[in-house]
Amino acid sequence: MTLVADRPVAVTAPGTTGSPWPRRISIAALLLGTAVLYLWDLGASGWANAYYSAAAQAGGQSWSAWFFAATDSAGGITVDKTPAAVWVMGLSVRVFGLSSWSVLVPQALAGVGSVWLLYAAVKRWSGHHAGLISGAALALTPVAALMFRFNNPDALLVLLLTAAAYATVRAIEKASVRWLVFAGALVGFGFLTKMLQAFLVLPAFGLAYLIAAPTSVKRRIAHLFAAVAAVAVAGGWWVAVVELIPSGSRPYIGGSQNDSVLELTLGYNGLGRLTGDEVGSVGGGAGWGSSGWSRLFGSEMGSEVAWLLPAALLALVAVVWFTRRANRTDRTRAAALVWGLWLVVTGVVFSLMDGIIHPYYAVALAPAAGALFGIGAVTAWRNRTDPVAIGLLASGIAVTTVEAWLLLSRESDDWLPWLRPLVLVGGLAAAVAVVFVPALPRAAGRAIAVFALVVTLIAPGMYSVATAAQSHSGALPSVGPSTQGGPGGRGGGGMGGLLGAPTPSTELASLLAADAQDYTWAAAVVGSNNAAGYQLGSGVPVLAVGGFNGTDPAPTLAEFQRLVAGGEIHWFIGATLMRGESGSDDAHRIAEWVAQNYTATSVGGVTVYDVSR
């Protein structure tokens, strides 16, 4: 829903003249509103994803555990991701102490920072109003309201990639190798947050610079090589350090079968996500939904991110078409490359991958969709005397309205029953009215524009507020107003102890804490989420046998027997966990060995074994 003339865009962003105070007030209002949405009653989610909260707790107690992102302070096994998100949470725990707020506030601040950076990036080339709309679109995307209030790595990843996009915009303006290298370093740090997913933006940033930077081809290529080197250094130094440290001198690398970060990167968290062949996974590919071009609009991901996707894709197509004869350095087309390729490449990968994928991954699409939505709306409005531009603007409003109505139709009739007809009728009316704007007085036209903007954002906005009003726990949080997943709120438990973390009774927590200083681990239990619940409840290290899925050979049965013989483990907690279809079965063999050789005792309704005797 955008149109641009076939001429270069001026260096000075449109809409930046006049008094700065209205602009300052409006961006302050945007950021304040975002902060309220993301911070309000944040502690209601408790530990949220206990898996990462336990790792943050461990990092607050041990610098070694912090560096490796171990799930316990004794350094038994790491989380199954690179450590950057745990670093941020661990530092917060060290400064403010362990609490739900110290774990979750960094995520909310990452959300506010992402909105501000998106505004700043879009504003430079498309003006204040485009930046403001883009930032609001990101803030009011339901999956953003979910993940910026949750402690998965996705919040930090989105912040880093949005910052990298801003740096790329700055680099393109004057062919600045320093800004481009900085963008590469940010993407590299994104790799240290969520591995190869961070690299999905590289085609967008690289091609935009290669086409639009105002310098020679030779310099553009040289600058890109420098940026790639920055990606490798920023993302690879930690991998190199860990690979060079002998296995016995550091925690086991969770999620791998051979105690290797490289294996984890290329296998379980890499190509396995595309092919579905993740060794050590539980549930198989059928557990992650059907792949296909409709996945982003389907029942699982649609409510997360699809609200503005049709309008964003329409804007992208329009910008590419109307800038096809523009100069090489045209910034409107460059913006389409930066944000459009980010959206398309990431969207295609998410749509077609056959391996593990969760609906909340869609938060990685939100900045690009928001940027295209804002750029398209404002550019079309500026060209509203052109029939094609005004037609595209009306079409954008109409498709956004219809998509919102379809998504709201999946929700219960008990939730805001007035919203669905309001969006449909109001949106279609706005789409018709905007066609007549060129013939109306300026004040009337602006009123229609404001109404159209409100009616296109009200549905995702209300859905975001409803999402923020729910507590979320477990490994799989989801958006929306309905409470699901048990007393922990939306998200997570179930699957045989795989996704939910238990809350130990006071009696059991006291038992685990007693004499804990005499042991390396106060207890051991199969599965990282089981271990996280007992560790957070007792404040003492608990060994996660088998890692997240219980399918890592960490420790093996022989190694566990040596730990027991050496007096390093006090208690073994009996807990069920689904058996994996591949990977190691040592965790279950360990549980069977303990049950056969030690006496079971029930404490607070939980079976425990004193393996120190």
Side-chain angles (χ1 to χ4, degrees):
M1 58 176 182
T2 187
L3 178 67
V4 293
D6 292 340
R7 63 178 184 274
V9 177
V11 172
T12 302
T16 57
T17 58
S19 172
W21 284 108
R23 296 196 302 274
R24 292 173 181 173
I25 293 172
S26 59
I27 185 58
L30 171 64
L31 297 181
L32 179 60
T34 302
V36 170
L37 177 63
Y38 293 170
L39 286 166
W40 185 265
D41 199 23
L42 190 61
S45 291
W47 297 121
N49 191 333
Y51 179 54
Y52 292 111
S53 294
Q57 176 195 36
Q61 296 170 342
S62 163
W63 282 115
S64 176
W66 176 84
F67 178 79
F68 293 107
T71 61
D72 66 82
S73 59
I77 190 170
T78 71
V79 299
D80 59 2
K81 299 290 187 296
T82 33
V86 174
W87 287 347
V88 174
M89 289 184 285
L91 290 176
S92 179
V93 168
R94 280 189 173 270
V95 173
F96 300 107
L98 179 66
S99 69
S100 175
W101 276 83
S102 65
V103 170
L104 294 177
V105 164
Q107 326 309 322
L109 296 181
V112 177
S114 297
V115 169
W116 176 70
L117 285 166
L118 184 63
Y119 161 81
V122 172
K123 168 183 168 292
R124 293 193 69 85
W125 292 352
S126 301
H128 167 73
H129 293 100
L132 203 65
I133 294 172
S134 299
L138 170 59
L140 296 178
T141 300
V143 71
L146 173 71
M147 297 315 294
F148 288 129
R149 294 172 57 89
F150 204 73
N151 60 324
N152 280 19
D154 302 76
L156 179 60
L157 178 68
V158 169
L159 174 66
L160 291 169
L161 297 187
T162 307
Y166 173 81
T168 301
V169 166
R170 296 295 301 267
I172 291 173
E173 289 177 351
K174 296 183 178 179
S176 169
V177 67
R178 289 181 296 178
W179 275 107
L180 192 65
V181 166
F182 182 47
L186 288 167
V187 174
F189 205 77
F191 171 84
L192 288 183
T193 303
K194 210 177 177 191
M195 294 193 162
L196 294 181
Q197 185 183 331
F199 293 169
L200 294 179
V201 301
L202 289 178
F205 299 168
L207 189 59
Y209 190 86
L210 183 63
I211 291 176
T215 189
S216 66
V217 173
K218 184 177 179 180
R219 284 182 176 272
R220 277 176 272 157
I221 294 175
H223 292 176
L224 286 172
F225 273 109
V228 170
V231 173
V233 172
W237 69 270
W238 183 85
V239 176
V241 169
V242 173
E243 289 292 313
L244 289 172
I245 296 175
S247 296
S249 301
R250 56 165 172 76
Y252 186 93
I253 303 302
S256 73
Q257 295 297 306
N258 296 299
D259 196 15
S260 168
V261 179
L262 291 176
E263 178 205 335
L264 179 64
T265 301
L266 300 176
Y268 183 78
N269 282 334
L271 297 178
R273 296 293 174 117
L274 301 178
T275 64
D277 184 21
E278 300 115 330
V279 178
S281 178
V282 175
W288 319 119
S290 300
S291 61
W293 296 107
S294 63
R295 174 181 269 174
L296 296 180
F297 298 91
S299 59
E300 294 184 353
M301 279 193 167
S303 297
E304 310 270 339
V305 78
W307 306 85
L308 303 179
L309 280 185
L313 292 172
L314 180 61
L316 173 60
V317 172
V319 168
V320 171
W321 174 255
F322 286 109
T323 58
R324 66 192 185 280
R325 297 191 193 86
N327 293 336
R328 177 180 65 80
T329 57
D330 182 82
R331 291 185 177 173
T332 303
R333 182 172 56 202
L337 290 172
V338 170
W339 304 110
L341 283 179
W342 174 342
L343 183 69
V344 170
V345 172
T346 305
V348 167
V349 171
F350 285 177
S351 296
L352 301 182
M353 59 191 286
D354 289 322
I356 297 173
I357 182 171
H358 302 306
Y360 64 78
Y361 287 8
V363 71
L365 299 168
L372 291 169
F373 181 80
I375 293 169
V378 170
T379 308
W381 178 256
R382 292 190 186 119
N383 292 273
R384 58 189 176 276
T385 56
D386 187 300
V388 177
I390 205 67
L392 288 168
L393 184 60
S395 299
I397 297 169
V399 297
T400 302
T401 295
V402 172
E403 178 64 21
W405 180 79
L406 291 172
L407 292 172
L408 290 173
S409 297
R410 302 173 183 174
E411 196 55 51
S412 168
D413 291 336
D414 296 333
W415 182 72
L416 302 185
W418 52 267
L419 184 58
R420 196 185 312 166
L422 171 66
V423 168
L424 184 62
V425 175
L428 293 179
V432 173
V434 81
V435 174
F436 299 97
V437 161
L440 296 176
R442 178 174 296 184
R446 288 181 175 176
I448 291 173
V450 170
F451 175 73
L453 182 62
V454 170
V455 82
T456 52
L457 289 180
I458 189 172
M462 295 302 293
Y463 214 77
S464 294
V465 171
T467 298
Q470 294 290 329
S471 61
H472 298 87
S473 64
L476 302 178
S478 57
V479 300
S482 302
T483 301
Q484 298 175 1
R490 282 184 75 88
M495 291 189 71
L498 177 66
L499 303 178
T503 301
S505 64
T506 302
E507 182 183 7
L508 179 57
S510 299
L511 179 72
L512 297 181
D515 302 324
Q517 69 278 2
D518 297 333
Y519 302 88
T520 304
W521 291 278
V525 64
V526 176
S528 292
N529 266 312
N530 285 327
Y534 295 119
Q535 179 173 294
L536 290 166
S538 64
V540 293
V542 176
L543 177 62
V545 176
F548 188 88
N549 293 323
T551 55
D552 298 344
T556 63
L557 175 58
E559 289 168 344
F560 183 83
Q561 290 170 338
R562 285 196 294 271
L563 293 175
V564 170
E568 296 193 57
I569 301 173
H570 192 177
W571 300 96
F572 186 86
I573 303 172
T576 60
L577 195 72
M578 294 177 64
R579 287 182 180 266
E581 298 177 354
S582 61
S584 170
D585 198 38
D586 276 282
H588 297 279
R589 293 170 60 205
I590 288 169
E592 292 166 359
W593 176 79
V594 170
Q596 292 169 2
N597 290 276
Y598 293 88
T599 302
T601 303
S602 180
V603 180
V606 175
T607 300
V608 297
Y609 303 85
D610 186 350
V611 296
S612 67
R613 297 185 178 183

